Amino acid sequence: MVPPGIPETSGIADVAPWRDWPAAVDGALEFLHEQLGWDVWAVTRVQGAEQIVLRASPPGFIAPGTALSWDDSFCRQMVSGAGPRVATVAAAVPAYARSPSGLAAGIGAYLGVPIVTRDGGLFGTLCAIAFRAQPRSAVRGLPTVEFVARVIGTLLPDERPDPVPPPREPS
C-alpha cells in the first residue's frame, strides 16, 4: 500500500534516461519550474556579444534561438560578480537596477547560475526570472539550481549544442 500523498509508481519507464542533451535540459527546466516556481526558466549559451536561449520552460515565454545582448543581461552581471545569483527583488540590486534589459522588461526577481564546461570555461547560464518580487525564502532553492547547473555542464556533449535548437517535440 502506498502512503497517502505519495504518487504510486511501478516499473522503470518513469525514470529512464532522456534520449539526448536537449531532452535532459528540458526535463531539468520542467523539474525546476515545478519544484521552485518562478515564471520562466532557461538554459543559455554565451557566444561573443550574445546570450542565446537554447531551451526554456514553460514553452511560449521565450523562443529557443532568441539572442539577447550579453552586456545588458542580468546573467553577465551575475557571472562577473557584480550581482548575486539570487535577487528576490531585482530593483534592490544596483547592478540589476541599472540593466537596460531587465527592469524595463518587467523582471521583478532573478536567479542565475553559470554553466561551466569540463575545461573550466563559461558555456552559458541556467537562469530564472519572475515578473514579481519573490519572497526571501526563494534563496533556499539556490543549492538545487547550482546542482542542476553542474549536471547540465557535466552532460554537455563534446560537440556543443546548436545555438538554434529544433522545436520541442510533444512529450
Side-chain angles (χ1 to χ4, degrees):
M1 175 162 175
V2 176
I6 305 293
E8 190 168 343
T9 59
S10 61
I12 61 173
D14 62 327
V15 292
W18 286 285
R19 68 186 175 282
D20 55 20
W21 188 85
V25 170
D26 289 342
L29 294 175
E30 290 167 13
F31 167 80
L32 291 170
H33 188 255
E34 289 171 8
Q35 297 298 312
L36 301 179
W38 297 72
D39 293 318
V40 182
W41 288 87
V43 166
T44 71
R45 180 176 183 179
V46 176
Q47 286 189 303
E50 293 183 323
Q51 180 178 20
I52 301 166
V53 176
L54 297 180
R55 313 303 285 176
S57 182
F61 277 99
I62 186 163
T66 299
L68 309 166
S69 168
W70 175 242
D71 286 341
D72 294 341
S73 73
F74 281 23
C75 292
R76 182 181 176 280
Q77 297 299 321
M78 176 273 298
V79 167
S80 73
R85 289 186 176 171
V86 181
T88 58
V89 180
V93 176
Y96 300 146
R98 288 190 306 266
S99 174
S101 63
L103 303 179
I107 296 174
Y110 166 81
L111 187 157
V113 176
I115 297 173
V116 180
T117 62
R118 284 185 212 101
D119 62 1
L122 176 67
F123 173 80
T125 64
L126 168 58
C127 55
I129 59 168
F131 300 113
R132 296 176 192 231
Q134 296 295 292
R136 282 185 273 180
S137 62
V139 172
R140 291 186 203 137
L142 181 59
T144 300
V145 180
E146 290 170 335
F147 177 81
V148 171
R150 289 182 87 177
V151 171
I152 289 171
T154 300
L155 296 176
L156 275 171
D158 290 331
E159 207 169 289
R160 298 295 185 242
D162 186 348
V164 184
R168 294 171 83 157
E169 296 175 14
S171 309

